[in-house]
Structures are given as structure tokens and as C-alpha cells.
Amino acid sequence: MVIRCRSAPLLSPSISRFIKHSSISSSSRLPIFFKTRIDSLSLPKNMTLPSIANCFSSTAAAAAAAATATAPVPIESTLVVLSFYKFADFPDHAHMRNSLKDLCQQLRVSGGIILAPEGINGSICGTRESVDKVIDFIKSDERLKGLRQMESPVTPEDEAIHHGHSDTSPLAAGEDTPFRWDHVRVKVKKEIVTLGMPEVSPIERVGKYVKPKEWNELISDPDTVVIDVRNAYETRIGKFERAVDPCTTSFREFPSWVENQFQFEDTAEENHQEGNKDTDVESPKEKKPPRVAMYCTGGIRCEKASSYLLSKGFKEVYHLEGGILKYLEEVPKSESRWEGECFVFDKRVSVKHGLEQGEFKLCYGCKQPVSDADMETREWETGVSCPYCYSLKSEEEKERARARHMQFKSWGLIGGPDKGRRPISKPDSNTNRSSLNKQSS
């Protein structure tokens, strides 16, 4: 059997770039759209998949074949996960979107980035060199210099999955990979972290930063109110000692919680406006705002929350610099006041001290963390529901989730080979035309 291969004219620019940068030498390195097509071929026993892969570049076929025979598959550079943000006056933020997205795709950097008039917020994954190039590009804008950055390691197991070296999770398998190498989102929004109050600006004023190693002393003071600014599904799996949990489902609810929880009159400010210098005398009805110490995952929500509290008359507002992640990285477990695990917004789901991989998994029905015990309950159904969302979902929603999960099980990605788009086909009969009309309806 002879297989004739034509080179560049048949390949799209994006695929050509992939082959150029990938050094394909085995079937495990092929993208899933190649593997699906190749697996369907009937090949002679002496025809191997590496030889087919080499056909994609006729000029490099001999060299690649020799390298395959004498050397193992090259090991990819170590991956890093980098979270970053910066509040800045950035009215022309949308102009950066296309160039930033194109750069991430060219460098195979994945993750999500948000651009807004108040700055930038993102979490990306890639090789050290690629991630550094993306950060350098962002910092090339003078307004975005001084990014607050937090780096997290990637486990060897997740790194193998990311590069497509796992039989159970092929390349671009979507939900089983820590970050899909072919998927980056760069979104333009009104806020980089949504409080629903654009007038609250950390650029103008913000609380005092507290280093992780000084945090224990602050929160041990009985006069300090420790507030967890995160949402209920995050606080459920871990928080600091003595922390107050607002039990919010979104960051938008935080201002309402503050209004209900802390009721006092800022008479000092009123007296100052009226010219009364005797501010040391407090009226019986006046209630002094407490000293507040806040924390969140990486620090960005605390910046905005602290700015909001200051606008409401709080005088002493502190927040943990670098968030929980920096604390878990720098403070030894023997000295830690942290209890449980920390939820993270990537495929790791949760991390422990030293930023080690946590024990929690993710329910793809509601995107909440679930434990092994949760997955033993009758409400748990992989890809559909868990004890925290089972009663909130209608049967119709559960059926859609089951169909979505079946697509992932069958194809390794949501939407099948067409990724959710209607296949292009020409109905050759009235019957087929009628069938398509029904599907459209």
C-alpha cells in the first residue's frame, strides 16, 4: 500500500504553525483532530503512525524518522501557572484584546484574561519562556507596569496531560487538562472583578497590605474582625481561624452584607464638615467601625472590597498581600492559621500548604468543589450534578448536562468533531431535508 502525501498546500496556516513548533514524532503528540482521522484508516501492519505524522512535512520526513528511531520523545519545557492583575486607568483597554489573544495563541499560552477600564486580571499557563513573553507584552503599556503576580507550580501528572501524553486524556481533551494548550480567552468587561459598583476605585484608595508572615499576629488580635471576602463554595472547603463568612454566592453581594452587618454613623466626618473640632466626644448612639482584616484567593477582590469599606467610613482596613496563595506558599504548615484547602479557578480545583495539589474535584454541573464523600452520595452524577446543585437543577437541565457529558466521553471535547456547530451537509432527499428542519426547530 502506498500513501501519497502532499505537504503545505493542504494545510491551513494554524495547523502548519502547530507542526512547525511541535516536533511530532508519535501518535500521542498528534492533535485530537488528526488522531480521530488517522485511527479510522485501515493500515498495513508495517505502517506506523509516526510515519504518517512525518508526511505532514515532506522536507523533514527523513530527519524526523531518523530521530524517532534513535532518540526518545523530547520532553517539553516545564509549565508554570501565573495569576496577575493590576488596577489602572485603562479606558482604551479593548485595543489590546486582539494582539494579546494572537500572541497567546502563537506561544501556546492558555487560560483567561480580562480587560476593563479599571485594569487587567488574568491567569495563564505555558512554558516559562512563553509566559514571560506574554507578561512583557502586557507591561509594555506603561499603565500596566507593576503587575501583582502569583506563580503556582504544575504537577508532573498534569503537565503530562497538558502535553497529551496520557491515554485517558488526549491532547485538547478539554475538561481533564489543567489548561487546554489551544484555548485562551481574552474578554473585554466593565470590571476586572465584578462588584457592580464601578465608582469604587482601588486606584484612588485602598487598604493597607499585610505581609503573609505578619498576618498571624494581626488576625490573632481579638479586636480585629477577620473577613473572608470569597464566596460560600470557596469558604466551605477552607478558611482562616476566626474568619467571618459572609455566605455570599457572588462578589456583588458583598456591599449588601456590609450594610446589614455593620451599622454605624460616621459622625466624625460630619463634625469635621460642620467645623466642630471636638471629635473626641462620642455620642451614646455612635458606634465606632471595627478594625478589619480581609483576605481572598489572590488579593484582587480584597483591593476592591477595602476601597469600598474605606468609602463607607471604616478607618482601619487591612488585607493579606498576595492572598491565601501567597500565605500557603510562604508560611510553614506548623505555623499556619489556615484550615482546610484553598479553591483555585483552574483545573487543580484546590491547593494545600506549599501549593500542593488538593484533594477536591470539580462538579461540572455547577463548577463547585466536591470531596470523595460528596461523590458517594445519590445526588452525585459525573458531569451532571452534585449534592450542592442537584435540587437546584430541573430535569431538563440535567438532561442537557448528560448529553454534554456524553459528547465529552465520546470525542474528548464538548460538541463532538464539529465542536457544537451544525455539520455542513447537503440533504439529498425530501426526507433528509425534513429531518434537518426538525433538528433546527
Side-chain angles (χ1 to χ4, degrees):
M1 176 179 179
V2 178
I3 295 182
R4 298 184 182 275
C5 298
R6 288 193 243 172
S7 56
L10 292 181
L11 299 178
S12 68
S14 60
I15 296 176
S16 299
R17 285 197 301 271
F18 171 81
I19 294 169
K20 179 180 179 181
H21 296 291
S22 297
S23 303
I24 298 176
S25 59
S26 72
S27 62
S28 64
R29 302 295 304 281
L30 288 173
I32 192 168
F33 46 80
F34 283 155
K35 292 179 69 177
T36 304
R37 300 293 178 85
I38 292 174
D39 290 343
S40 63
L41 295 176
S42 298
L43 302 176
K45 293 181 179 179
N46 61 346
M47 188 62 179
T48 61
L49 288 176
S51 63
I52 292 178
N54 293 332
C55 290
F56 290 118
S57 180
S58 57
T59 58
T68 304
T70 58
V73 176
I75 299 175
E76 299 283 352
S77 301
T78 302
L79 296 176
V80 294
V81 175
L82 184 67
S83 300
F84 57 90
Y85 71 91
K86 173 69 186 295
F87 284 98
D89 186 13
F90 200 28
D92 56 340
H93 57 285
H95 294 167
M96 181 182 278
R97 181 185 182 276
N98 291 337
S99 54
L100 182 56
K101 183 178 178 67
D102 290 343
L103 178 63
C104 289
Q105 290 177 331
Q106 291 171 12
L107 297 174
R108 292 176 63 179
V109 170
S110 56
I113 301 173
I114 297 174
L115 301 170
E118 64 178 8
I120 187 171
N121 178 23
S123 182
I124 57 177
C125 177
T127 63
R128 164 66 61 191
E129 181 182 5
S130 298
V131 167
D132 286 345
K133 287 181 179 178
V134 173
I135 295 299
D136 288 342
F137 174 79
I138 293 173
K139 290 180 178 178
S140 64
D141 190 305
E142 290 291 330
R143 296 165 295 183
L144 300 181
K145 287 187 175 179
L147 281 176
R148 293 194 174 274
Q149 300 175 203
M150 179 62 201
E151 184 178 309
S152 302
V154 177
T155 65
E157 294 79 7
D158 283 346
E159 188 161 344
I161 294 173
H162 178 96
H163 290 305
H165 297 163
S166 168
D167 294 334
T168 58
S169 297
L171 190 63
E175 296 177 4
D176 276 354
T177 58
F179 285 92
R180 286 174 53 185
W181 70 263
D182 63 340
H183 187 62
V184 62
R185 305 179 310 278
V186 182
K187 296 183 178 181
V188 174
K189 293 189 174 183
K190 295 180 180 179
E191 301 175 75
I192 58 174
V193 56
T194 306
L195 185 64
M197 303 177 71
E199 66 276 11
V200 176
S201 175
I203 304 172
E204 298 177 3
R205 53 182 172 182
V206 72
K208 298 178 182 178
Y209 296 103
V210 180
K211 298 289 185 182
K213 293 184 179 179
E214 300 170 358
W215 180 251
N216 286 354
E217 182 179 356
L218 175 63
I219 66 174
S220 299
D221 188 333
D223 293 330
T224 301
V225 177
V226 186
I227 302 177
D228 194 320
V229 186
R230 302 174 303 155
N231 298 317
Y233 63 89
E234 300 170 79
T235 60
R236 174 166 52 82
I237 70 172
K239 61 180 182 178
F240 279 106
E241 295 176 3
R242 298 185 57 249
V244 177
D245 182 4
C247 298
T248 56
T249 57
S250 72
F251 189 45
R252 282 177 175 271
E253 298 177 5
F254 183 74
S256 298
W257 178 81
V258 172
E259 292 287 344
N260 294 330
Q261 185 73 18
F262 302 101
Q263 298 180 358
F264 61 89
E265 296 179 0
D266 190 8
T267 55
E269 183 174 348
E270 293 175 0
N271 290 336
H272 177 74
Q273 292 175 353
E274 295 173 0
N276 183 2
K277 297 181 180 180
D278 187 15
T279 57
D280 294 333
V281 180
E282 297 182 358
S283 64
K285 295 182 180 180
E286 181 181 350
K287 185 178 180 182
K288 184 179 178 181
R291 179 198 301 133
V292 171
M294 299 186 297
Y295 66 90
C296 59
T297 307
I300 185 171
R301 283 178 280 186
C302 281
E303 287 212 27
K304 210 160 194 181
S306 69
S307 181
Y308 171 74
L309 290 185
L310 290 171
S311 71
K312 300 302 293 183
F314 285 75
K315 303 302 180 184
E316 290 187 87
V317 181
Y318 302 88
H319 51 104
L320 178 58
E321 185 172 3
I324 304 166
L325 295 180
K326 199 66 177 175
Y327 182 92
L328 294 179
E329 179 186 19
E330 293 187 357
V331 178
K333 186 176 181 179
S334 58
E335 303 174 12
S336 176
R337 299 295 178 88
W338 176 259
E339 300 172 341
E341 298 184 12
C342 176
F343 180 83
V344 290
F345 296 89
D346 57 55
K347 301 302 181 182
R348 296 171 298 170
V349 183
S350 66
V351 294
K352 300 183 286 189
H353 284 89
L355 301 182
E356 295 181 2
Q357 178 81 40
E359 303 297 329
F360 285 82
K361 304 297 186 292
L362 199 67
C363 169
Y364 291 109
C366 62
K367 302 297 187 293
Q368 291 197 38
V370 290
S371 64
D372 291 340
D374 293 328
M375 292 187 284
E376 295 295 330
T377 63
R378 65 177 183 83
E379 293 90 356
W380 169 258
E381 185 177 350
T382 305
V384 179
S385 64
C386 71
Y388 307 102
C389 67
Y390 180 85
S391 60
L392 303 177
K393 288 181 173 292
S394 66
E395 284 303 318
E396 182 180 356
E397 290 175 318
K398 292 174 185 175
E399 283 301 322
R400 286 201 300 267
R402 291 185 185 102
R404 178 178 179 271
H405 185 62
M406 285 302 298
Q407 289 175 347
F408 177 72
K409 288 178 62 178
S410 301
W411 298 100
L413 71 166
I414 302 303
D418 300 294
K419 294 188 178 181
R421 296 183 293 271
R422 182 185 297 281
I424 299 176
S425 60
K426 295 182 179 180
D428 53 3
S429 67
N430 291 332
T431 303
N432 289 340
R433 192 173 292 111
S434 174
S435 176
L436 286 175
N437 290 337
K438 289 181 179 180
Q439 291 179 9
S440 178
S441 301

